[in-house]
């Protein structure tokens, strides 16, 4: 009987040890699964952040290019307007010179006709 009790006790200890190992293994597997899930979530968040950053960079680059294009067009418009104003001023000056030269020539001819 003592031997039977000792065997039962040994069996009980062995069963408890197996249960403890199985519980420990289950806990470790659950922790590993949780860790892997957290890692996936972190990777997903990082990828989303990188995507947002890339999209923002692209938006800013497009905006900058559009602004530079607008500035260049404004500059070219200003240049054309300036050139047009300078051309118009030159035409007015040339016309005034011609009118004065014509007037002077007429006056000289009238003076010459008076003397003759």
């Amino acid at each position: 009987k003592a031997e039977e009790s000792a065997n039962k006790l040994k069996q009980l200890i062995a069963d408890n040890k197996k249960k403890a190992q199985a519980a420990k293994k289950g806990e470790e597997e659950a922790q590993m699964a949780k860790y892997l899930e957290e890692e996936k979530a972190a990777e997903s968040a990082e990828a989303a952040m990188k995507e947002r950053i890339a999209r923002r960079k692209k938006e800013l680059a497009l905006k900058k290019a559009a602004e530079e294009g607008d500035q260049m067009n404004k500059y070219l418009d200003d240049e054309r307007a300036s050139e047009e104003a300078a051309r118009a001023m030159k035409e007015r000056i040339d016309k005034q010179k011609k009118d004065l030269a014509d007037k002077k020539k007429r006056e000289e001819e009238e003076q010459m006709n008076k003397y003759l």
Side-chain angles (χ1 to χ4, degrees):
K1 250 188 166 188
E3 198 177 305
E4 198 178 299
S5 286
N7 283 339
K8 280 185 178 180
L9 190 56
K10 281 183 184 179
Q11 187 62 43
L12 186 62
I13 290 172
D15 288 347
N16 284 342
K17 199 174 186 182
K18 281 183 182 178
K19 285 180 187 175
Q21 285 176 339
K24 186 177 179 183
K25 186 178 178 185
E27 251 182 62
E28 287 175 351
E29 287 176 355
Q31 285 179 342
M32 182 56 79
K34 184 179 176 187
Y35 171 76
L36 290 174
E37 190 176 310
E38 288 172 353
E39 281 295 303
K40 275 186 182 177
E43 288 173 4
S44 177
E46 183 181 354
M49 179 66 80
K50 284 182 180 179
E51 184 182 327
R52 282 195 301 275
I53 290 170
R55 187 170 53 243
R56 184 69 178 137
K57 279 184 179 179
K58 185 177 178 182
E59 288 170 1
L60 290 174
L62 290 172
K63 182 179 177 186
K64 183 178 178 183
E67 287 174 354
E68 287 175 351
D70 291 346
Q71 287 176 344
M72 182 56 76
N73 288 337
K74 185 180 183 308
Y75 170 77
L76 292 174
D77 289 345
D78 290 347
E79 280 295 303
R80 279 192 285 270
S82 179
E83 289 171 4
E84 178 61 25
R87 186 190 58 73
M89 177 69 78
K90 184 179 182 312
E91 284 179 5
R92 283 195 300 275
I93 291 171
D94 289 346
K95 185 177 184 315
Q96 284 179 342
K97 282 183 183 178
K98 184 179 181 311
D99 290 348
L100 286 174
D102 290 347
K103 182 178 177 186
K104 185 175 180 183
K105 186 177 177 185
R106 268 195 321 274
E107 288 175 353
E108 286 176 356
E109 286 176 359
E110 286 176 9
Q111 289 292 326
M112 192 60 92
N113 286 336
K114 281 185 186 177
Y115 288 117
L116 296 177

